[in-house]
Amino acid sequence: MKRLVVYYSLSGNTEEAAKKIAEALDADLMRLETVKEMPKSFAAQIIVGGGQVMMKYVPKLKDYDKDINSYDEIILGSPIWNSKGVPAINAFLEDKVAAGRVTSLFFLSGGGEVKKGLDAITKMLPNLKNTVSLLDKKHEDSKDNDKKIQQFIEKIKS
Ligand SMILES: Cc1cc2nc3c(=O)[nH]c(=O)nc-3n(C[C@H](O)[C@H](O)[C@H](O)COP(=O)(O)O)c2cc1C
């Protein structure tokens, strides 16, 4: 089984989980990057990112450094942004073949409202089998992330 972990991460939380998952599964890793960069400050990210989500903006992504068609299975990692899905993830999932290869989703949130954002992502994933909810490292319960990642990996392998 040839696996690829694809993720988007603005402030490093999803990236940290992606690296752990890829290492444990002996999978390749691919970070999605938008051509137009997001602002550096969190306050500006909330305004710009929140606006993009509301407008259902689909950004242009930088060229991939992996041939996604050569993988049997994709494990997707996304932060939760508001209610209509993360723009870079929406751009990736416009490729329906790639979306169909996603079997597993890990998502990061600040511990707030996630249902709408999560629904927006999962409805684009027809073959989704495994999902795990992880918390931003600023949240006190993020100490449970490693245990949850371990269980997620076991489900993917089984
Ligand atoms: C634009 C924006 C919107 C967000 N919306 C939510 C939200 O609706 N609910 C929530 O729990 N966290 C929300 N967050 C927090 C992120 O999901 C959380 O910080 C996550 O760990 C970020 O992952 P990253 O470090 O990989 O970018 C939002 C963050 C940003 C930048």
Side-chain angles (χ1 to χ4, degrees):
M1 179 70 86
K2 201 176 166 204
R3 297 183 172 113
L4 179 65
V5 175
V6 176
Y7 70 97
Y8 175 78
S9 183
L10 202 51
S11 55
N13 289 274
T14 313
E15 178 162 75
E16 191 179 319
K19 286 181 174 168
K20 286 179 182 170
I21 291 165
E23 192 181 352
L25 288 172
D26 199 19
D28 289 338
L29 192 60
M30 186 175 91
R31 179 181 187 154
L32 299 175
E33 289 184 80
T34 54
V35 171
K36 199 169 172 213
E37 283 183 19
M38 288 287 286
K40 301 280 176 241
S41 87
F42 183 66
Q45 287 171 357
I46 291 287
I47 293 166
V48 173
Q52 289 182 350
V53 171
M54 269 174 54
M55 304 294 289
K56 296 193 184 180
Y57 169 71
V58 180
K60 196 168 165 22
L61 297 177
K62 288 188 184 169
D63 289 344
Y64 301 156
D65 61 2
K66 301 281 183 303
D67 173 11
I68 51 175
N69 291 319
S70 71
Y71 293 88
D72 306 304
E73 182 174 43
I74 294 174
I75 294 113
L76 186 66
S78 176
I80 292 295
W81 284 11
N82 307 48
S83 55
K84 296 187 181 82
V86 175
I89 296 288
N90 291 345
F92 176 71
L93 295 176
E94 279 197 329
D95 176 347
K96 298 297 167 217
V97 177
R101 290 212 171 101
V102 176
T103 63
S104 308
L105 172 73
F106 58 102
F107 66 91
L108 269 290
S109 78
E113 163 63 32
V114 296
K115 189 178 181 314
K116 284 188 194 158
L118 187 59
D119 285 351
I121 300 171
T122 54
K123 77 173 185 205
M124 293 184 277
L125 304 175
N127 297 314
L128 185 65
K129 295 192 198 88
N130 312 300
T131 305
V132 66
S133 164
L134 304 170
L135 287 165
D136 191 287
K137 52 182 171 286
K138 286 189 226 116
H139 195 288
E140 59 176 314
D141 291 339
S142 65
K143 60 182 181 329
D144 297 331
N145 281 358
D146 280 348
K147 197 170 64 192
K148 290 196 243 172
I149 287 173
Q150 201 49 49
Q151 289 165 350
F152 180 63
I153 288 163
E154 292 309 321
K155 278 201 270 172
I156 294 171
K157 282 183 178 167
S158 67

Short mmCIF file of all heavy atoms in Angstrom, two decimals, residues 4 19 25 27 30 44 55 58 69 71-72 75 82 88 90 102 108 110 119 132-135 143-144 146 150 155:
data_model
loop_
_atom_site.label_atom_id
_atom_site.label_comp_id
_atom_site.label_asym_id
_atom_site.label_seq_id
_atom_site.Cartn_x
_atom_site.Cartn_y
_atom_site.Cartn_z
N LEU A 4 0.17 8.50 0.90
CA LEU A 4 0.64 9.88 0.90
C LEU A 4 -0.14 10.67 1.94
O LEU A 4 -1.38 10.63 1.95
CB LEU A 4 0.43 10.50 -0.49
CG LEU A 4 0.83 11.96 -0.66
CD1 LEU A 4 2.35 12.14 -0.50
CD2 LEU A 4 0.40 12.49 -2.04
N LYS A 19 3.59 15.00 10.13
CA LYS A 19 4.93 14.37 10.14
C LYS A 19 4.92 13.10 10.98
O LYS A 19 5.51 12.08 10.60
CB LYS A 19 5.97 15.37 10.67
CG LYS A 19 6.29 16.43 9.64
CD LYS A 19 7.34 17.41 10.14
CE LYS A 19 7.72 18.37 9.01
NZ LYS A 19 8.51 19.50 9.48
N LEU A 25 3.48 5.56 9.41
CA LEU A 25 2.91 4.74 8.32
C LEU A 25 3.92 4.49 7.21
O LEU A 25 3.59 3.85 6.20
CB LEU A 25 1.69 5.44 7.73
CG LEU A 25 0.43 5.48 8.58
CD1 LEU A 25 -0.62 6.39 7.93
CD2 LEU A 25 -0.15 4.06 8.74
N ALA A 27 4.82 6.64 5.14
CA ALA A 27 4.16 7.28 3.99
C ALA A 27 4.96 8.51 3.54
O ALA A 27 5.76 9.05 4.30
CB ALA A 27 2.75 7.72 4.39
N MET A 30 3.26 15.52 1.77
CA MET A 30 3.17 16.65 0.83
C MET A 30 2.39 17.80 1.46
O MET A 30 1.23 17.64 1.84
CB MET A 30 2.49 16.21 -0.46
CG MET A 30 2.51 17.31 -1.51
SD MET A 30 1.83 16.78 -3.09
CE MET A 30 0.11 17.22 -2.89
N ALA A 44 -4.68 38.93 11.64
CA ALA A 44 -4.90 39.14 10.20
C ALA A 44 -5.31 37.83 9.52
O ALA A 44 -6.12 37.83 8.59
CB ALA A 44 -3.63 39.70 9.56
N MET A 55 -16.39 33.63 1.47
CA MET A 55 -16.57 33.87 0.03
C MET A 55 -16.41 32.59 -0.79
O MET A 55 -16.48 32.62 -2.02
CB MET A 55 -15.52 34.88 -0.48
CG MET A 55 -15.49 36.21 0.25
SD MET A 55 -16.99 37.16 0.00
CE MET A 55 -16.80 37.62 -1.69
N VAL A 58 -11.40 29.87 -3.73
CA VAL A 58 -10.55 28.70 -4.01
C VAL A 58 -9.20 29.21 -4.53
O VAL A 58 -9.12 29.71 -5.66
CB VAL A 58 -11.21 27.75 -5.04
CG1 VAL A 58 -10.30 26.54 -5.31
CG2 VAL A 58 -12.57 27.28 -4.53
N ASN A 69 -1.25 10.76 -8.35
CA ASN A 69 -1.91 9.60 -9.00
C ASN A 69 -1.16 8.30 -8.77
O ASN A 69 -1.67 7.23 -9.10
CB ASN A 69 -2.08 9.86 -10.49
CG ASN A 69 -3.10 10.96 -10.72
OD1 ASN A 69 -4.13 11.01 -10.06
ND2 ASN A 69 -2.79 11.88 -11.62
N TYR A 71 -0.33 7.13 -5.88
CA TYR A 71 -0.58 6.60 -4.53
C TYR A 71 -1.91 5.85 -4.45
O TYR A 71 -2.87 6.22 -5.12
CB TYR A 71 -0.56 7.75 -3.51
CG TYR A 71 0.82 8.34 -3.37
CD1 TYR A 71 1.24 9.38 -4.20
CD2 TYR A 71 1.73 7.83 -2.45
CE1 TYR A 71 2.53 9.90 -4.11
CE2 TYR A 71 3.02 8.34 -2.35
CZ TYR A 71 3.41 9.37 -3.18
OH TYR A 71 4.68 9.88 -3.08
N ASP A 72 -1.93 4.79 -3.63
CA ASP A 72 -3.16 4.01 -3.43
C ASP A 72 -4.10 4.72 -2.47
O ASP A 72 -5.32 4.57 -2.56
CB ASP A 72 -2.84 2.64 -2.80
CG ASP A 72 -1.82 1.90 -3.61
OD1 ASP A 72 -2.06 1.71 -4.82
OD2 ASP A 72 -0.77 1.52 -3.05
N ILE A 75 -3.97 10.27 3.05
CA ILE A 75 -4.41 10.66 4.40
C ILE A 75 -4.32 12.18 4.42
O ILE A 75 -3.26 12.75 4.16
CB ILE A 75 -3.50 10.02 5.47
CG1 ILE A 75 -3.70 8.49 5.44
CG2 ILE A 75 -3.84 10.53 6.87
CD1 ILE A 75 -2.54 7.73 5.00
N ASN A 82 -13.72 28.02 10.38
CA ASN A 82 -15.12 28.43 10.22
C ASN A 82 -15.99 27.36 9.57
O ASN A 82 -15.86 26.19 9.87
CB ASN A 82 -15.22 29.74 9.44
CG ASN A 82 -14.35 30.83 10.04
OD1 ASN A 82 -13.19 30.60 10.33
ND2 ASN A 82 -14.91 31.98 10.26
N ALA A 88 -7.37 26.14 0.87
CA ALA A 88 -6.35 25.32 0.20
C ALA A 88 -6.80 23.85 0.08
O ALA A 88 -6.50 23.18 -0.91
CB ALA A 88 -5.02 25.40 0.95
N ASN A 90 -9.97 22.91 -0.11
CA ASN A 90 -10.99 22.91 -1.16
C ASN A 90 -10.34 22.88 -2.54
O ASN A 90 -10.83 22.19 -3.46
CB ASN A 90 -11.86 24.18 -1.07
CG ASN A 90 -12.74 24.17 0.16
OD1 ASN A 90 -12.92 23.14 0.79
ND2 ASN A 90 -13.28 25.32 0.51
N VAL A 102 -8.84 9.71 -0.75
CA VAL A 102 -8.69 10.05 0.68
C VAL A 102 -9.53 9.06 1.50
O VAL A 102 -10.75 9.01 1.39
CB VAL A 102 -9.15 11.50 0.97
CG1 VAL A 102 -9.07 11.78 2.47
CG2 VAL A 102 -8.30 12.50 0.18
N LEU A 108 -7.33 19.61 12.86
CA LEU A 108 -6.89 20.39 14.03
C LEU A 108 -7.86 21.53 14.25
O LEU A 108 -8.27 22.19 13.30
CB LEU A 108 -5.50 20.97 13.75
CG LEU A 108 -4.26 20.17 14.15
CD1 LEU A 108 -4.11 20.11 15.67
CD2 LEU A 108 -4.24 18.78 13.57
N GLY A 110 -9.10 24.77 17.32
CA GLY A 110 -8.75 25.49 18.53
C GLY A 110 -9.61 25.06 19.71
O GLY A 110 -9.51 25.63 20.78
N ASP A 119 -18.03 19.21 8.41
CA ASP A 119 -19.02 18.73 7.43
C ASP A 119 -18.64 19.17 6.02
O ASP A 119 -18.78 18.42 5.06
CB ASP A 119 -20.42 19.29 7.75
CG ASP A 119 -21.06 18.61 8.95
OD1 ASP A 119 -20.49 17.60 9.43
OD2 ASP A 119 -22.11 19.09 9.41
N VAL A 132 -9.94 11.67 12.82
CA VAL A 132 -9.55 11.98 14.20
C VAL A 132 -9.49 13.50 14.40
O VAL A 132 -9.03 14.23 13.53
CB VAL A 132 -8.21 11.30 14.58
CG1 VAL A 132 -7.02 11.84 13.81
CG2 VAL A 132 -7.97 11.44 16.08
N SER A 133 -10.00 13.91 15.56
CA SER A 133 -10.04 15.32 15.92
C SER A 133 -8.91 15.64 16.89
O SER A 133 -8.84 15.07 17.98
CB SER A 133 -11.40 15.58 16.59
OG SER A 133 -11.38 16.81 17.26
N LEU A 134 -8.01 16.54 16.49
CA LEU A 134 -6.87 16.91 17.33
C LEU A 134 -6.97 18.38 17.71
O LEU A 134 -7.65 19.16 17.04
CB LEU A 134 -5.56 16.65 16.56
CG LEU A 134 -5.39 15.23 16.04
CD1 LEU A 134 -4.18 15.13 15.10
CD2 LEU A 134 -5.24 14.23 17.20
N LEU A 135 -6.27 18.74 18.79
CA LEU A 135 -6.39 20.11 19.30
C LEU A 135 -5.10 20.91 19.15
O LEU A 135 -3.99 20.35 19.29
CB LEU A 135 -6.80 20.07 20.77
CG LEU A 135 -8.25 19.67 21.02
CD1 LEU A 135 -8.47 19.30 22.48
CD2 LEU A 135 -9.20 20.81 20.60
N LYS A 143 -2.64 17.55 25.03
CA LYS A 143 -1.76 16.49 25.52
C LYS A 143 -2.25 15.11 25.09
O LYS A 143 -1.48 14.15 25.07
CB LYS A 143 -1.59 16.57 27.04
CG LYS A 143 -2.88 16.41 27.81
CD LYS A 143 -2.62 16.55 29.30
CE LYS A 143 -3.84 16.38 30.18
NZ LYS A 143 -5.16 16.76 29.66
N ASP A 144 -3.53 15.02 24.73
CA ASP A 144 -4.07 13.72 24.29
C ASP A 144 -3.85 13.46 22.80
O ASP A 144 -4.21 12.40 22.29
CB ASP A 144 -5.59 13.66 24.57
CG ASP A 144 -5.89 13.76 26.06
OD1 ASP A 144 -5.02 13.33 26.86
OD2 ASP A 144 -6.96 14.27 26.42
N ASP A 146 -1.23 12.80 20.95
CA ASP A 146 -0.37 11.67 20.55
C ASP A 146 -1.10 10.34 20.67
O ASP A 146 -0.97 9.46 19.81
CB ASP A 146 0.92 11.65 21.38
CG ASP A 146 1.93 12.65 20.86
OD1 ASP A 146 1.72 13.19 19.74
OD2 ASP A 146 2.92 12.94 21.56
N GLN A 150 -2.03 7.79 17.62
CA GLN A 150 -1.67 6.36 17.65
C GLN A 150 -2.87 5.48 17.27
O GLN A 150 -2.76 4.57 16.45
CB GLN A 150 -1.16 6.02 19.05
CG GLN A 150 -0.30 4.78 19.11
CD GLN A 150 0.80 4.79 18.04
OE1 GLN A 150 1.52 5.77 17.88
NE2 GLN A 150 0.89 3.71 17.27
N LYS A 155 -6.00 2.23 13.15
CA LYS A 155 -7.20 2.03 12.32
C LYS A 155 -6.83 2.03 10.83
O LYS A 155 -7.36 1.25 10.04
CB LYS A 155 -8.23 3.14 12.61
CG LYS A 155 -9.06 2.87 13.84
CD LYS A 155 -10.36 3.64 13.82
CE LYS A 155 -10.19 5.00 14.46
NZ LYS A 155 -11.33 5.89 14.34
#
